[in-house]
Amino acid sequence: MSAPFPPRRARINDVTINLTHGAGGKAMRDLIQDVFVGAFGQPDAAAMEDQARVPLSALARHGDRLAFTTDTYVVDPLFFPGGDIGTLAVAGTVNDLAVSGARPLYLSCGVVLEEGLPVETLRRVAESMRRTAEAAGVRIVTGDTKVVERGSADKLFINTAGIGVIPAGIEISSARARPGDAVIVSGHLGDHGAAILIARKQLALEADIPSDCRPLNGLIDAMLAACPDIRCLRDATRGGVATVLNEFAQDSGVAIRIREETLPLRETVKGACEILGLDPLYLANEGKLVAVVPADAAERVIEAMRAHPDGRDAAVVGCIAERPRGAVILETGFGGERIVDMLVGEQLPRIC
């Protein structure tokens, strides 16, 4: 029996997205083949099925539990220093898998396109997704495309779901922090939030602050090699480091004490926050993580992180205490203390 013919590779000539690109017919098929299959995979018959088919044996050899996550990205603007919505969509989902200790393997990509979106914009975003997935060692294997009328969305929204596999023996949870453990951050805080704020050009701020948007699975692999018993691990996205620490404190029933002078902050980010009255602890990050590790493992974890390009500025910023349970306390540079509460409301909307 002969092999099936590969699907015809189309290249659309439209300058902008129109409603026929979401109508389910030839225009939609050509868009998917040209922009998405062209960027994410080989143009064979399997690429145009309604589902990806993954051998269970390919998953089982990586571990004993499946990790599954999904997220939707609505960032404004679509392109910003250091990345774009495509970079963000892949890196964000990879990181949500990796902080469980999982090895990220496969992603889906669902897009909502506004009528009138330039096709070239979509090509740029798809290419960013391809590059980021390649850097993270994951494959984008399935997806969906919808087009809505002009004014019904803001240019482009992306949903990515991901699956990975957690190796046997890895037990990372926000409920595992213990008194005496060390609190670590992987580098400068607030870069993504500051980059988006400046990219919107709504304020007369001039600063060169690129987003930290990147996949962190390679860094996490290095950390786990140094300490398989990492207690808690999370990427500090919306709500920033302050929100992550509050989640750890509340879920583990402990107190967390952090020291202001140990927090890694760029002077440009610190200055922007002072001008605008923002707290960098609440600014979003898209390439930074917060970890809680046993005290006797902190030094070797930091050493492993600093040896990796994504953890060169890693620092121990605090420790776990017994009381007051559920509280995060900042020891200020002036010798005082203040409670760092969970973020209420939104410091900066449409951040990711």
Side-chain angles (χ1 to χ4, degrees), residues 255-272:
I256 298 181
R257 302 187 71 89
I258 56 174
R259 299 179 298 278
E260 186 174 41
E261 68 269 17
T262 63
L263 296 173
L265 287 169
R266 299 185 195 280
E267 288 301 320
T268 46
V269 172
K270 191 184 299 185

Side-chain angles (χ1 to χ4, degrees), residues 109 159 168 201 219 230 308-309:
C109 170
N159 173 274
K201 301 186 185 301
L219 175 63
I230 291 175
H308 191 280

Side-chain angles (χ1 to χ4, degrees), residues 136-274:
V138 301
R139 290 179 57 204
I140 301 171
V141 294
T142 190
D144 185 55
T145 304
K146 293 291 187 292
V147 179
V148 297
E149 294 87 351
R150 194 183 303 267
S152 296
D154 188 3
K155 298 181 284 293
L156 169 63
F157 299 153
I158 300 178
N159 173 274
T160 43
I163 59 173
V165 179
I166 303 173
I170 300 298
E171 297 291 345
I172 298 172
S173 166
S174 61
R176 292 190 68 230
R178 300 291 180 265
D181 289 347
V183 179
I184 293 172
V185 298
S186 63
H188 294 109
L189 307 180
D191 288 358
H192 180 71
I196 294 294
L197 182 64
I198 291 168
R200 288 179 182 171
K201 301 186 185 301
Q202 295 172 334
L203 300 163
L205 287 177
E206 293 292 335
D208 182 18
I209 305 174
S211 169
D212 58 351
C213 185
R214 62 173 65 91
L216 294 172
N217 50 323
L219 175 63
I220 292 170
D221 286 345
M223 295 169 65
L224 286 168
C227 175
D229 189 31
I230 291 175
R231 310 272 207 226
C232 313
L233 192 59
R234 194 159 289 174
D235 53 331
T237 55
R238 286 170 296 176
V241 169
T243 297
V244 170
L245 292 176
N246 272 277
E247 290 169 347
F248 289 170
Q250 292 171 19
D251 292 351
S252 296
V254 296
I256 298 181
R257 302 187 71 89
I258 56 174
R259 299 179 298 278
E260 186 174 41
E261 68 269 17
T262 63
L263 296 173
L265 287 169
R266 299 185 195 280
E267 288 301 320
T268 46
V269 172
K270 191 184 299 185
C273 287
E274 288 173 355

